Amino acid sequence: MKAAVADADVQAVVDLIRERGLTTVLLPGGDHLAIGITSAIDPGVREPLANTIRTNAGVSHVVHVSRPYKLTSREFRNQSTVVNVGRASFGGPKVSVIAGPCSIESYEQLHETAVAIKEAGATILRGGAFKPRTSPYSFQGLQQKGLEILARVGQDVGLPTVTEVVDTHDVPVVAQHTDMLQIGARNMQNFALLVAAGRSDRPVLLKRGPSATIDELLFAAEYLLNEGNRNVVLCERGILPLDRTYTRNTLDVMAVPVLKEITHLPVIVDPSHATGYARYVRPAALAGLAAGADGLIVEVHPRPHEALSDGQQSLTPQDFAALMRAVDDVAVVIRKEAS
Ligand code: PEP
Ligand code: MN
């Protein structure tokens, strides 16, 4: 619709579409309002309907979204979505960095990490309370107690927080304790969880499954958007490797520019899970940013050798601070602002 359109003109177009049994969604963006048709349209109906809509007052233009994921595509909304979480901002001119331990182990461990990562320039604190582990015998996270620690440390240190939600029923309690919900790689296609997170008012960090295609990731994001949650950040965290001898996963660095071309949603890179080794985190992080990522999520632990999960890939606070200096340097080259 044109800028400064009258509500009655919007309603007239919505009615016109709904009369044909099709569903609409309203998507405000910048100074334009888009009216999306998310139901499948019979090709014989599409052109006549487009022509009828074009004659309505207030209509700027009609576009056919050829991508199967509608709301997620740039055809639908060309303006990049900016997701703000506290001082962190993804999708705009800034590079924002999320950091913290894989698992929340104690108040002291998380507090010590939070102080260090904030000092180094990170703007969101991560920490897992519910851990999706390959083995049921591995540490499963502090769960409810972990959520409480995360909320307290976030408050005490002055950082917004993100944590993974693994169960549909936990969405409200996790949303109550944190500023952003993480949907992990293993749950990328847990459609009930996507619907529940899509109904939450918290921004969502959606990680790509290790064997998920780019289209599957975008369809997963579409579930969130279709439920009304527009604040979605995508995360490339490494896909199944050809060879696990040297890295845990393979960072699909080209997924970053490909995603940025197809979708208006911000994209970040997780160099920790992508590589599995602390010494490879820096090259993977910088490659991701150079490829156009809007930010990073990095695992940091005050004593990686004592970590209850993912110690091998966790940076010490010192190494994280050094990484952040390199991030600042790369930000200058790619003309982004460091967070
Ligand atoms: C994590 O962030 O600690 C995690 C489990 O990540 P992923 O879902 O990408 O494996
Ligand atoms: Mn981890």
Side-chain angles (χ1 to χ4, degrees), residues 102 126 131 273 299 310 313:
C102 180
R126 64 150 287 153
K131 294 307 300 177
H273 293 87
E299 286 186 341
D310 286 349
Q313 67 193 31

Side-chain angles (χ1 to χ4, degrees), residues 46-60:
R46 191 166 59 219
E47 267 323 295
L49 175 59
N51 288 334
T52 312
I53 291 172
R54 274 189 197 101
T55 61
N56 271 253
V59 173
S60 162

Side-chain angles (χ1 to χ4, degrees), residues 64-70 73-75 215 218 261-262:
H64 172 49
V65 179
S66 57
R67 302 265 183 208
Y69 23 82
K70 308 283 177 205
S73 76
R74 274 203 189 268
E75 287 173 324
D215 279 352
L218 291 167
E261 181 178 273
I262 303 174

Side-chain angles (χ1 to χ4, degrees), residues 155-170:
Q155 280 265 312
D156 293 351
V157 178
L159 279 175
T161 59
V162 59
T163 198
E164 182 169 351
V165 56
V166 294
D167 189 300
T168 312
H169 303 294
D170 293 336

Side-chain angles (χ1 to χ4, degrees), residues 33-151:
L33 170 83
I35 302 174
I37 307 177
T38 46
S39 359
I41 310 181
D42 195 80
V45 171
R46 191 166 59 219
E47 267 323 295
L49 175 59
N51 288 334
T52 312
I53 291 172
R54 274 189 197 101
T55 61
N56 271 253
V59 173
S60 162
H61 56 279
V62 179
V63 278
H64 172 49
V65 179
S66 57
R67 302 265 183 208
Y69 23 82
K70 308 283 177 205
L71 308 178
T72 309
S73 76
R74 274 203 189 268
E75 287 173 324
F76 196 73
R77 180 190 152 94
N78 191 27
Q79 194 186 29
S80 294
T81 291
V82 178
V83 177
N84 295 307
V85 184
R87 276 185 47 237
S89 173
F90 303 95
K94 273 191 197 176
V95 164
S96 291
V97 179
I98 303 171
C102 180
S103 297
I104 298 160
E105 297 166 10
S106 66
Y107 178 89
E108 293 69 27
Q109 169 247 14
L110 192 65
H111 187 271
E112 188 178 348
T113 315
V115 169
I117 60 131
K118 185 179 182 185
E119 169 74 24
T123 45
I124 303 185
L125 174 66
R126 64 150 287 153
F130 296 95
K131 294 307 300 177
R133 305 305 299 281
T134 302
S135 162
Y137 308 121
S138 300
F139 176 59
Q140 300 289 311
L142 296 182
Q143 313 204 352
Q144 172 73 28
K145 185 165 170 247
L147 291 179
E148 285 158 20
I149 293 173
L150 182 63

